[in-house]
Amino acid sequence: MSSLITIKNCRIENSKGTIIPNINWEMKTREAWLVIGPNGGGKADFMNALSHYASEKFVPNQTPLNDALFSSVFGDSVDIVSLERAAKLIQEERENDESEYVEGGVDIGRTGRIFLAEALVENPKKNPKVLELAASVEKYHAIKLCGIEKILDRGLKYMSTGEIRRTLLARSLISSKKLIILSDPFAGLDIQSRTILLDFFNNIAKSHLSKNDSNMPSIILAMERWHEIPDAITHVLELKDKKISFCGTRKEYEKNLSANYSEEKKQEEKESFTSSLNQTFKETQVLQNQNTETTSKVPLVEMHNVNVGWGDHKVLRDLNWTLYQGEHWLIQGPNGSGKTTFLELITGNNMQVFSNDIKIFGNRRGSGETIWDIKKQLGIVSYRLHVEYRMVGVTSLQNVIISGFKDSIGLYETPTDVEIGAAKQWLKLGGFEGRENESFGNLSYGEQRALLILRSAVKSPKIMILDEPCHGLDENQRDKVLNIMETVGKGNTTTILHVTHDPSEIIECEKHVLQLVPDQDPMYIIKTL
């Protein structure tokens, strides 16, 4: 077997200095590699350095024998498909939004079709061939493989999380990159999309395992959790605490996992975390919403014959649904079925709420209440919120938590000593103790997500809206999030609305299901678990 990538006595650094001081790793032909590790452990830095996408890069260390080396047969022909990449893409689209200057007040930005065509030319912003190529992108097999035929003419910023990541993968494939890095590829994908992507990866990996050369790209897979790893993976690289903690075969890694795994230990950790969480709720009660517990059915949200869409595209049609206090709901449906749109009618981020009969906390939207009257009673975790927080700039972890009490994106007033003390307690609970002055922007995607989940819970809101909250979380952080949801759900002060495609993330208290089915009439199903 010949070497494809060789990293010997190198460090990873960016504009701020050294991130990982020493890396030694080699990828050979007929090997299918998984890169894994906890949030913030160095996995994202390693993948970014391989992809040339961000500022991270491999730099040879000075050694007595001067034998440091970074070599890759792929050169610059590398692309990465990740939650981080998708978030940056949406951020760019929103920063370039010119809706206030266009007729009709809606700038859809780049469509999927244009975005794909840009990958086929040099200097795409100035190249007139982009429009010509965009008209015929359907000819590429990757478009059908990734299942994006129906969304090619939709603006990128109007795509769901799963749709935009499938679009990123299609772009990588049609651009003929030699190496594609798939980072946490199954997060946020519906069952059909997961199956397509899993088959795609296994077929490519098996192609490379069976012969030395292939017209298919090489793929490196990066995952937060082990339970979805494709069968074709042969080798594992694990990074923890900014260093390599394991490098070897899949069989050896699985043996180590078995030796270190204990259901009893996991249960002890859960009980300890739940106890700390309850104590934190108790000690920060002065800053929480004073929701009165009740056993009666109080309607929090009412929707009557709700219709939402753009042009001829209907997202929701004739929806009738009521949310009562204490009834926790699971929102399900394939990518693009309208789950996020449905939630944004409640959060106030979709203006079509004003043209529909929707009541929130007893008041019809548009009857005089402000968005702040509503948001002060909501705790929100969503892809949109994550992107908006990334656009704020430099914000400390402490201020992110405190902003949860203020319902703001960023913090624009001096916090009180009580708020600072509460924020430190929540940061300790989430594993961020001593890091309160770090910048939100310097965290890994998964760490950012974990912090925003803590932010959503701090004030014990009337409604907690969780849109794929476990995106990008490692096993430990995911367990903490699910424990927070379980603890909140057992109380009677906060009602949960939860979107997830992962059956293992459904919590016991979620007894009600709203299932969106775009190709049926009616376009939704209500059932009880």
Side-chain angles (χ1 to χ4, degrees):
M1 293 188 292
S2 59
S3 178
L4 299 175
I5 301 175
T6 301
I7 305 170
K8 187 176 181 182
N9 294 327
C10 288
R11 66 184 182 275
I12 296 178
E13 65 177 35
N14 60 16
S15 58
K16 296 180 181 179
T18 297
I19 309 170
I20 300 179
N22 193 43
I23 292 284
N24 288 278
W25 178 68
E26 185 177 23
M27 175 182 174
K28 298 180 180 180
T29 55
R30 301 188 189 179
E31 293 178 346
W33 278 87
L34 167 75
V35 182
I36 199 167
N39 297 139
K43 180 177 76 277
D45 305 315
F46 180 80
M47 307 312 288
N48 284 337
L50 279 180
S51 70
H52 311 286
Y53 173 66
S55 61
E56 289 81 7
K57 60 182 179 180
F58 293 107
V59 179
N61 287 318
Q62 295 295 325
T63 66
L65 298 177
N66 196 30
D67 59 350
L69 172 69
F70 170 64
S71 173
S72 172
V73 300
F74 304 110
D76 293 333
S77 186
V78 183
D79 204 2
I80 186 168
V81 179
S82 65
L83 291 164
E84 174 80 19
R85 179 78 183 276
K88 285 188 176 181
L89 180 58
I90 295 300
Q91 183 176 339
E92 290 172 8
E93 289 300 298
R94 291 187 176 173
E95 288 174 345
N96 295 328
D97 190 296
E98 297 184 347
S99 293
E100 58 185 302
Y101 305 114
V102 301
E103 186 178 350
V106 177
D107 173 21
I108 68 169
R110 283 182 295 176
T111 62
R113 186 182 296 279
I114 293 295
F115 179 65
L116 293 167
E118 288 176 345
L120 302 172
V121 300
E122 295 183 2
N123 302 316
K125 292 184 179 180
K126 299 179 180 180
N127 198 318
K129 289 186 177 180
V130 169
L131 292 178
E132 178 184 341
L133 292 168
S136 58
V137 293
E138 287 94 339
K139 70 181 182 181
Y140 290 94
H141 175 63
I143 305 303
K144 185 175 182 179
L145 174 70
C146 297
I148 61 171
E149 307 100 305
K150 295 181 180 180
I151 61 172
L152 289 173
D153 295 305
R154 191 182 305 172
L156 294 174
K157 58 192 170 189
Y158 297 111
M159 292 183 183
S160 70
T161 312
E163 288 171 336
I164 198 164
R165 291 171 66 230
R166 282 187 280 137
T167 302
L168 279 169
L169 177 58
R171 177 179 162 116
S172 294
L173 294 174
I174 69 173
S175 62
S176 301
K177 296 293 185 181
K178 295 178 181 178
L179 173 65
I180 298 177
I181 298 169
L182 296 178
S183 181
D184 207 13
F186 304 112
L189 296 186
D190 55 40
I191 294 175
Q192 182 181 7
S193 298
R194 288 183 185 212
T195 301
I196 291 171
L197 187 55
L198 187 61
D199 290 344
F200 164 74
F201 175 81
N202 280 330
N203 288 336
I204 287 183
K206 288 174 182 176
S207 172
H208 284 281
L209 292 175
S210 62
K211 53 186 178 181
N212 286 327
D213 63 340
S214 173
N215 292 324
M216 302 292 280
S218 293
I219 289 182
I220 295 175
L221 189 64
M223 298 284 287
E224 308 296 344
R225 307 193 294 271
W226 180 256
H227 72 284
E228 291 181 319
I229 303 307
D231 295 336
I233 289 294
T234 62
H235 290 73
V236 178
L237 177 69
E238 181 184 71
L239 290 104
K240 290 182 180 179
D241 302 320
K242 303 297 184 180
K243 60 184 179 183
I244 293 176
S245 53
F246 178 88
C247 183
T249 66
R250 175 183 185 138
K251 186 175 181 180
E252 291 169 341
Y253 188 74
E254 288 178 333
K255 185 177 180 180
N256 285 354
L257 281 180
S258 298
N260 295 324
Y261 180 82
S262 166
E263 282 287 357
E264 183 178 338
K265 181 181 178 182
K266 186 174 181 179
Q267 183 61 30
E268 289 176 357
E269 291 175 349
K270 178 179 179 179
E271 290 173 359
S272 175
F273 177 81
T274 302
S275 176
S276 298
L277 175 61
N278 285 325
Q279 186 65 24
T280 300
F281 272 125
K282 182 178 179 180
E283 293 179 2
T284 61
Q285 191 171 11
V286 67
L287 293 171
Q288 297 169 17
N289 283 350
Q290 298 303 306
N291 298 332
T292 302
E293 292 193 17
T294 180
T295 56
S296 63
K297 278 194 171 185
V298 177
L300 302 178
V301 181
E302 301 169 74
M303 296 186 180
H304 303 287
N305 297 316
V306 167
N307 289 272
V308 177
W310 297 272
D312 296 330
H313 178 60
K314 287 293 183 181
V315 181
L316 301 173
R317 184 173 62 244
D318 299 330
L319 174 63
N320 290 282
W321 177 80
T322 301
L323 173 66
Y324 292 101
Q325 182 172 327
E327 290 188 353
H328 308 295
W329 282 74
L330 185 66
I331 315 300
Q332 295 182 320
N335 294 140
S337 62
K339 300 183 299 296
T340 296
T341 297
F342 168 78
L343 295 180
E344 289 184 345
L345 291 173
I346 300 171
T347 63
N349 291 320
N350 189 307
M351 292 301 100
Q352 293 191 48
V353 66
F354 297 111
S355 59
N356 280 283
D357 184 1
I358 298 176
K359 289 183 179 180
I360 301 179
F361 307 123
N363 298 313
R364 179 163 177 169
R365 287 306 312 274
S367 61
E369 84 293 348
T370 69
I371 188 63
W372 302 110
D373 292 329
I374 294 171
K375 286 196 172 183
K376 70 182 180 182
Q377 301 183 79
L378 304 177
I380 304 169
V381 175
S382 68
Y383 191 61
R384 179 188 183 114
L385 177 77
H386 198 151
V387 171
E388 288 177 346
Y389 236 107
R390 291 167 61 94
M391 295 174 68
V392 169
V394 179
T395 306
S396 71
L397 308 195
Q398 178 174 286
N399 286 350
V400 170
I401 296 295
I402 295 173
S403 73
F405 298 118
K406 310 291 185 181
D407 311 302
S408 59
I409 308 295
L411 190 64
Y412 305 99
E413 56 186 84
T414 303
T416 66
D417 291 341
V418 173
E419 290 169 340
I420 292 173
K424 289 182 177 179
Q425 284 183 265
W426 279 98
L427 289 171
K428 180 180 179 180
L429 181 74
F432 296 98
E433 186 177 15
R435 301 174 63 184
E436 58 268 16
N437 294 319
E438 286 188 30
S439 172
F440 180 81
N442 290 340
L443 300 183
S444 70
Y445 184 94
E447 287 180 305
Q448 290 177 352
R449 196 69 163 193
L451 196 70
L452 292 176
I453 290 163
L454 294 176
R455 175 188 178 275
S456 74
V458 294
K459 62 180 180 181
S460 291
K462 279 189 177 181
I463 303 176
M464 185 178 286
I465 296 175
L466 304 172
D467 191 354
E468 296 283 3
C470 295
H471 267 183
L473 299 186
D474 61 40
E475 204 71 53
N476 183 49
Q477 290 285 16
R478 176 178 176 270
D479 287 345
K480 287 183 177 181
V481 167
L482 296 178
N483 288 340
I484 288 175
M485 292 169 61
E486 272 189 22
T487 302
V488 169
K490 288 177 181 177
N492 198 32
T493 58
T494 297
T495 301
I496 296 173
L497 292 180
H498 179 205
V499 171
T500 182
H501 291 289
D502 190 339
S504 69
E505 293 173 3
I506 300 173
I507 57 176
E508 186 178 352
C509 67
E510 293 169 346
K511 302 298 186 184
H512 304 273
V513 180
L514 174 64
Q515 190 169 16
L516 301 179
V517 282
D519 296 327
Q520 296 184 22
D521 190 13
M523 298 175 70
Y524 66 96
I525 299 170
I526 292 176
K527 57 185 179 181
T528 303
L529 295 178

